[in-house]
Structure formats: C-alpha cells, structure tokens
Amino acid sequence: MGFILMLIVGGLIGWIAGGILGKDIPGGILGNIIAGIVGSALGSWLLGDWGWHLGGIAIFPALIGTIILVAVASFILGKLRKK
C-alpha cells in the first residue's frame, strides 16, 4: 500500500510543480509520477529530509526538487526543439 501511496503523492507533486511553472510535463500522468519521484530524490539530496512526510516523501523538498527538475527539463527540451 505504501508504494501506491508514493506513486499518488509523486504524481500530485509533479502536477503541482507543472502548475506552478506553467509547463506541461511530457507523458501525462506517468510523466507527473516520474517527475515527482525523481524530483523528490533530487530535493531530498539537495535540501535534506525535513518537513511533512506523506507516502515516504518529504513534501517541501520534493516540491522544490520537482520544480527544479521540470524547469531544467523544459529548458533543455525547448532548446532541442529549436534546432
């Protein structure tokens, strides 16, 4: 059950980060889940494991890490599309 909750929280964090930046994450729901989980790992690595936890994910570092991940990915994808 914890794994399913982690997927749901990862998807929500990816969706929120995309909404904050105004960028769509490629891949739809699966892209949101992957961005949320990878961004969570990035945020925990950069900022530590603090704040509220839900589904084994620290919410604030995960959100900040996902925002960074989505911003960098959209920048790179934007540059690749222009070529």
Side-chain angles (χ1 to χ4, degrees):
M1 192 67 177
F3 180 72
I4 294 171
L5 186 59
M6 182 183 69
L7 292 176
I8 292 170
V9 172
L12 287 173
I13 288 175
W15 176 69
I16 292 169
I20 289 172
L21 290 175
K23 307 280 184 186
D24 286 335
I25 298 172
I29 294 172
L30 186 60
N32 283 337
I33 292 171
I34 292 170
I37 292 173
V38 172
S40 157
L42 177 67
S44 293
W45 179 70
L46 290 174
L47 303 172
D49 194 25
W50 55 273
W52 295 327
H53 286 74
L54 185 60
I57 295 176
I59 301 298
F60 294 120
L63 187 58
I64 293 169
T66 306
I67 289 171
I68 292 169
L69 178 71
V70 170
V72 169
S74 63
F75 176 77
I76 291 171
L77 289 174
K79 291 294 183 184
L80 289 175
R81 287 182 186 151
K82 288 183 181 180
K83 287 187 175 184

